Amino acid sequence: MENEQLKMNIEKNYSDIVATVLAEDIMDRFVDEDYLTIHDVVEKIMNGKTKQEQMKTLIQLLNEKLKKNPEIFDFFLKQLAENRNDAYHALEKKIRETEKKPIQVSEAGTDDSGYPEIPEKLRSRPVTEKQAMFLSKTFSPRHLHAFGTCLDFNEVEISHIEADYRKYASSTVIQQLIIKWKNRTGCSATLGKLLDIFMENSDLIDLHHEEYMTLDIQRFQKN
């Protein structure tokens, strides 16, 4: 399986991974194979206050080291498969069998997944603050950390943004994540790219399909 597809599969199953896997069960093998350092384990992973936070940090570290070690996610899945825990085996199989749904535009103006069709000329435009505001309301704020991970922010960065905007509505935090993603990504931060992230991770962030379907595309064109 290609590295990008495997990374996407792991993102789609992020919630299950964090809820099921204990970092302490698998992280030593990453150190043995030089994917992680002792510093990564002691100062970063084990600093997590909960088992879930530790696992989130481990996944974030794997993301950060992916460019240098493109096989790192495959190695992660092998650790699940080789563990004695049956739940790990089932999760490894589920992740490997997760498939990216092909998006094909239909005559009805929606693609085969049921999402609204976005005109190509609009997809290629940079994301605006108003578009970020509209999109911030299409999934539950309780998934903002998972969404931030989809935008390649680490847990520390997400927590800082959350702290900076905690006096506002949770949707404002999500909006700021999108804006900061745009600022970091530069000219490639197009509306099409952002919408692809939403669709590819719809299960992970529990995207509200009805809310998403009510997006006013014409209004997007004016903003």
Side-chain angles (χ1 to χ4, degrees):
M1 182 178 294
E2 294 183 0
N3 296 323
E4 275 303 311
Q5 182 65 55
L6 189 54
K7 179 177 183 290
M8 192 178 301
N9 288 4
I10 286 176
E11 290 173 348
K12 287 185 176 182
N13 291 279
Y14 180 81
S15 297
D16 286 343
I17 293 171
V18 171
T20 305
V21 183
L22 297 180
E24 61 193 37
D25 287 345
I26 61 174
M27 61 189 181
D28 288 348
R29 289 282 291 128
F30 284 93
V31 175
D32 292 343
E33 299 296 327
D34 292 327
Y35 288 115
L36 297 178
T37 66
I38 295 296
H39 176 80
D40 290 330
V41 170
V42 176
E43 300 297 330
K44 297 179 181 179
I45 297 174
M46 298 312 295
N47 265 346
K49 295 180 180 179
T50 66
K51 301 295 185 182
Q52 288 76 19
E53 288 181 1
Q54 292 173 7
M55 193 61 214
K56 288 179 180 179
T57 302
L58 174 57
I59 294 296
Q60 181 59 43
L61 285 171
L62 300 188
N63 264 309
E64 292 174 358
K65 297 174 186 291
L66 182 60
K67 288 184 178 180
K68 181 179 179 181
N69 303 289
E71 73 288 351
I72 198 167
F73 279 129
D74 186 62
F75 185 80
F76 167 71
L77 292 186
K78 287 179 180 177
Q79 303 322 299
L80 300 187
E82 294 172 4
N83 195 278
R84 297 179 181 180
N85 191 321
D86 289 340
Y88 288 12
H89 300 169
L91 182 58
E92 185 264 348
K93 182 178 180 181
K94 178 184 177 185
I95 293 170
R96 288 197 184 276
E97 292 178 353
T98 300
E99 295 181 359
K100 178 182 177 183
K101 297 180 180 179
I103 298 174
Q104 299 176 352
V105 176
S106 69
E107 295 179 0
T110 62
D111 58 43
D112 285 352
S113 63
Y115 296 115
E117 176 186 352
I118 308 297
E120 193 59 38
K121 64 179 181 179
L122 181 57
R123 287 180 58 87
S124 62
R125 293 179 184 175
V127 178
T128 68
E129 290 194 15
K130 286 189 177 180
Q131 290 166 357
M133 179 186 69
F134 297 151
L135 288 164
S136 71
K137 303 179 187 300
T138 60
F139 66 92
S140 172
R142 70 176 182 273
H143 295 297
L144 70 87
H145 276 254
F147 177 65
T149 301
C150 295
L151 298 180
D152 289 330
F153 288 104
N154 61 43
E155 283 295 319
V156 173
E157 292 172 321
I158 297 169
S159 295
H160 283 169
I161 296 171
E162 193 174 19
D164 289 342
Y165 293 91
R166 66 177 49 172
K167 66 180 180 180
Y168 302 103
S170 296
S171 60
T172 300
V173 179
I174 297 173
Q175 179 190 20
Q176 290 303 314
L177 280 170
I178 295 173
I179 292 171
K180 291 182 183 298
W181 167 80
K182 173 189 174 182
N183 293 339
R184 171 185 288 186
T185 307
C187 59
S188 62
T190 63
L191 179 60
K193 175 65 175 176
L194 181 60
L195 294 179
D196 286 344
I197 291 173
F198 269 77
M199 290 187 285
E200 290 165 3
N201 299 282
S202 59
D203 291 338
L204 175 64
I205 64 176
D206 194 19
L207 188 67
H208 296 163
H209 188 265
E210 291 183 2
E211 285 286 331
Y212 192 92
M213 286 293 291
T214 62
L215 292 175
D216 188 336
I217 304 305
Q218 296 303 316
R219 196 174 177 188
F220 264 26
Q221 290 179 300
K222 298 175 182 178
N223 295 286

